[in-house]
Amino acid sequence: MRSRKGIAVAAIVGFVAFLMPIAISLRLAWKQGIEDQKREGMRYASEVLRRCNETSFQFERAIRLLNNDHFAHCSPQEIDLMRQIDVGSSYIQMVGRISGNTLECTSLGTTKPMDMGKPTLMTVTGTAERINVSLGPNQLDRLDLVDQHGVAVLVDSSLVVDIPKEGDDVELAVFVPSTPNRERLGAVGSNFRPKWFEPAAKGAVTSYIDGDSVVSQARSGPYDYAAISVIPSRYAYHYVRQFALIFIPVGLSCGLLLGWAVLYISRARSSIPALVRAAARNQEFSVEYQPIVEMATRRLVGAEALVRWKRGGTWISPANFIPLAEESGVITQITDSVIRMVARDLPKLLEADTGFRVSINLSPADLAASATEEKLKELLRRSGAEPRNLVVEATESGFLQGSDTRAVIAGIRRQGIHVAIDDFGTGYSSLACLQTLEIDVMKIDKAFVETIGTDGPTSQVVQHIIEIGHSMNMMMAAEGVETEAQAGYLHSRGVQFGQGWLFGRPMSVDALRRKLDEQNADAMAAQLTA
Ligand code: C2E
Ligand code: CA
Ligand code: CA
């Protein structure tokens, strides 16, 4: 059940890990693509506008030259000059003289006045424009006639919008912003929407997305026209495709790697119960004993049994496997192993000191099981120890489980075994709650002992914890004592017992027995010399 859930979680995480980078990179690619299309669109519009400006410069030059020529209007000399201007102006197809609506003569050689009709529009800069005029069957057809100051030119507006483009469905147009219906002077394409012809600010180049189109506009500052370009936004897919080619493999590898990692971890977690059972069977567990001393005399009076697991040559820290074992319910098998080993070792220690105490750690699951009481009784019977030789340690969370737990703890204490609260101060329970518990010994966590002598914000806490211990009439044992300064502080405030590297690291039962023997020998020697 656990592993199936683990595999499902792995699959989901892997899938998300696979999709996320792809989705993010495609989204980025899409944004990048759109930005590029905007830039491209503004480039198109600017190029069209540049051609419009060039046309205007050529027109202005024609006006300047013709109106300063001192030739008689439409004289052969002036028509000659018109021809020169015409040939030298790339965007101008014809130059002529106009008066009102009458075209009087042109660079094409016509000298017969022609009525051109009313202008289609007047720009705010004063040019009159006639769109799609015809100068007769053989003449240039369907061009725009533009005039100002008596000079007319014929321009081919398709030239200004005839620029190289990315694709055929890019649309371009030139329009006159000052006219109410945004008169168009030239365009390629026919799918324009009216709102695209809303004029931008003078001199501005803008771009935006409208539906599935990237719309860009470049508006002239001095002249009365603006150019727009419209690019289908699907052109951005090009980028998405390029990105996809890179990122899909990357996303795929990330996803596979993550999925594999999750699967691996969930497998490892789900196999903990099997591993622990096998370890118990194969006797991979052992115990070490860490000395506990009486602060006043530094006499070795007890030890805490700490489980050790050597698996395939490497030691696994209990801080790593105990929580997993508790979670998966196999902790009671570890406890059983420890109880068996303590039962085996106790006689060796009691031989040296009949009053010696060994502490055993019990997990919340042990405290909730009524069988635990019986197991401890069995331990005492097999080892020939007295109840006073045994202490059980449990954390706050172990104590606060419910009525079953209270009954088990009460049963243990009734046997005469002492109960200690481990890691005191690190849990979340209220003091009022702790006061109702039946506890003989408080173990002050090493996190608090560490702060002694420092001026960190928590350094005052250890003082309060000791006061609580006194007020509740508990014996106190400080864990993690590493320095003489810590030991001195704790002793001076009435903490009776100490455990930590200052007094001894966890060691084998034989090493502990040797320590007891040395202690006895010293005591004997002291008695003899007294
Ligand atoms: P704990 O019960 O608080 O045990 C004390 C831990 O502090 C031990 O780590 C011990 O080696 C370490 N220690 C002792 N003195 C010092 C010191 O001066 N300085 C420092 N830095 N560390 C010190 P260990 O053996 O790694 O055990 C870790 C935890 O694993 C224990 O914390 C206990 O919660 C759990 N554990 C160990 N053995 C058992 C067991 O047999 N049953 C259960 N249920 N839990 C166990
Ligand atoms: Ca402990
Ligand atoms: Ca502890």
Side-chain angles (χ1 to χ4, degrees):
M1 188 61 204
R2 281 183 75 79
S3 86
R4 218 183 299 155
K5 215 164 106 188
I7 289 168
V9 168
I12 292 168
V13 171
F15 192 63
V16 170
F18 163 63
L19 282 186
M20 278 278 273
I22 294 176
I24 291 171
S25 52
L26 291 187
R27 172 105 203 107
L28 287 176
W30 175 251
K31 274 179 113 175
Q32 179 64 41
I34 289 290
E35 282 313 306
D36 271 55
Q37 294 310 322
K38 280 185 176 175
R39 221 171 313 144
E40 192 69 354
M42 291 193 284
R43 205 173 59 74
Y44 290 150
S46 301
E47 171 59 15
V48 171
L49 189 68
R50 190 192 67 76
R51 292 178 176 213
C52 290
N53 287 338
E54 188 59 32
T55 310
S56 294
F57 297 149
Q58 293 179 1
F59 179 36
E60 282 168 355
R61 184 169 153 268
I63 295 170
R64 219 171 33 246
L65 288 172
L66 283 179
N67 287 347
N68 292 318
D69 65 0
H70 311 301
F71 299 132
H73 277 199
C74 292
S75 62
Q77 292 96 324
E78 196 181 61
I79 290 181
D80 225 36
L81 179 61
M82 286 178 188
R83 285 205 180 106
Q84 287 171 30
I85 297 168
D86 185 352
V87 169
S89 308
S90 50
Y91 288 104
I92 289 176
Q93 314 299 317
M94 181 219 78
V95 186
R97 279 257 174 226
I98 195 163
S99 169
N101 293 335
T102 309
L103 188 61
E104 295 174 319
C105 58
T106 70
S107 57
L108 304 172
T110 43
T111 48
K112 202 164 77 200
M114 266 194 289
D115 184 17
M116 301 311 299
K118 277 209 187 110
T120 321
L121 60 99
M122 291 290 295
T123 70
V124 286
T125 50
T127 50
E129 308 222 2
R130 290 172 184 78
I131 294 175
N132 280 347
V133 299
S134 172
L135 290 185
N138 318 324
Q139 308 282 5
L140 296 162
D141 221 357
R142 301 274 147 231
L143 300 183
D144 299 346
L145 189 71
V146 183
D147 80 77
Q148 192 171 21
H149 304 306
V151 175
V153 295
L154 208 52
V155 298
D156 182 355
S157 58
S158 69
L159 278 185
V160 299
V161 289
D162 183 23
I163 61 169
K165 303 173 291 170
E166 211 177 339
D168 283 343
D169 32 17
V170 173
E171 301 189 319
L172 302 164
V174 180
F175 68 97
V176 182
S178 72
T179 54
N181 47 357
R182 320 294 181 215
E183 207 69 55
R184 272 174 234 175
L185 300 179
V188 276
S190 53
N191 299 316
F192 297 104
R193 292 180 208 156
K195 65 173 174 182
W196 296 344
F197 292 88
E198 276 312 308
K202 281 187 178 170
V205 184
T206 62
S207 191
Y208 59 93
I209 310 283
D210 182 31
D212 48 10
S213 302
V214 179
V215 183
S216 310
Q217 186 182 132
R219 181 172 174 188
S220 168
Y223 301 113
D224 192 8
Y225 39 65
I228 64 165
S229 73
V230 182
I231 304 177
S233 51
R234 69 186 142 76
Y235 277 34
Y237 281 132
H238 171 67
Y239 280 85
V240 177
R241 233 186 341 260
Q242 273 185 341
F243 265 69
L245 280 179
I246 301 169
F247 279 99
I248 289 181
V250 171
L252 196 70
S253 345
C254 284
L256 285 177
L257 207 72
L258 221 95
W260 176 81
V262 171
L263 201 68
Y264 182 83
I265 292 167
S266 67
R267 275 257 187 86
R269 286 178 74 95
S270 61
S271 59
I272 279 279
L275 284 177
V276 166
R277 270 190 286 272
R281 223 179 17 249
N282 304 335
Q283 302 189 332
E284 289 171 14
F285 293 121
S286 58
V287 274
E288 284 192 321
Y289 296 90
Q290 184 173 31
I292 297 174
V293 303
E294 188 179 56
M295 289 292 214
T297 59
R298 297 287 170 97
R299 224 174 68 84
L300 176 54
V301 294
E304 178 177 357
L306 294 163
V307 72
R308 296 291 176 255
W309 186 7
K310 192 175 190 178
R311 197 179 131 66
T314 47
W315 292 100
I316 308 175
S317 165
N320 291 336
F321 69 83
I322 294 287
L324 290 175
E326 285 181 345
E327 219 180 280
S328 58
V330 288
I331 185 69
T332 49
Q333 308 210 10
I334 296 179
T335 308
D336 291 350
S337 297
V338 172
I339 287 176
R340 253 196 318 275
M341 291 183 279
V342 170
R344 177 198 66 199
D345 295 339
L346 254 179
K348 263 188 222 170
L349 300 170
L350 296 181
E351 244 173 49
D353 177 0
T354 52
F356 200 74
R357 291 167 191 268
V358 167
S359 299
I360 293 178
N361 290 284
L362 292 185
S363 74
D366 297 318
L367 290 183
S370 52
T372 304
E373 253 183 275
E374 201 43 53
K375 289 174 185 171
L376 294 173
K377 249 188 215 148
E378 171 72 11
L379 190 170
L380 295 179
R381 214 176 39 241
R382 292 225 325 246
S383 62
E386 305 275 330
R388 63 173 179 135
N389 296 128
L390 209 54
V391 179
V392 298
E393 298 186 7
T395 55
E396 262 170 59
S397 54
F399 281 103
L400 299 171
Q401 289 185 98
S403 50
D404 286 359
T405 303
R406 281 175 188 258
V408 173
I409 293 169
I412 291 171
R413 289 188 83 228
R414 251 197 321 272
Q415 289 185 49
I417 297 170
H418 276 174
V419 171
I421 184 163
D422 207 353
D423 304 341
F424 186 84
T426 59
Y428 298 100
S429 29
S430 72
L431 200 55
C433 201
L434 292 175
Q435 259 157 350
T436 65
L437 300 173
E438 299 182 78
I439 300 167
D440 307 289
V441 183
M442 172 204 282
K443 292 198 84 172
I444 303 169
D445 195 69
K446 64 171 174 286
F448 301 111
V449 173
E450 262 166 24
T451 66
I452 294 172
T454 67
D455 43 29
T458 50
S459 60
Q460 299 303 311
V461 178
V462 65
Q463 170 88 38
H464 296 304
I465 289 178
I466 294 169
E467 280 161 16
I468 293 167
H470 284 307
S471 73
M472 288 168 74
N473 279 323
M474 291 192 274
M475 281 185 288
M476 283 175 275
E479 287 181 323
V481 182
E482 294 182 353
T483 65
E484 281 296 346
Q486 291 165 346
Y489 176 100
L490 292 161
H491 175 53
S492 72
R493 280 163 181 77
V495 174
Q496 301 93 332
F497 302 100
Q499 178 182 352
W501 295 350
L502 179 65
F503 313 117
R505 302 223 174 192
M507 59 186 80
S508 68
V509 65
D510 292 330
L512 186 65
R513 167 67 192 262
R514 276 195 295 278
K515 258 186 173 287
L516 280 174
D517 288 342
E518 276 165 29
Q519 184 166 273
N520 287 338
D522 287 351
M524 193 92 79
Q527 251 173 16
L528 287 177
T529 52

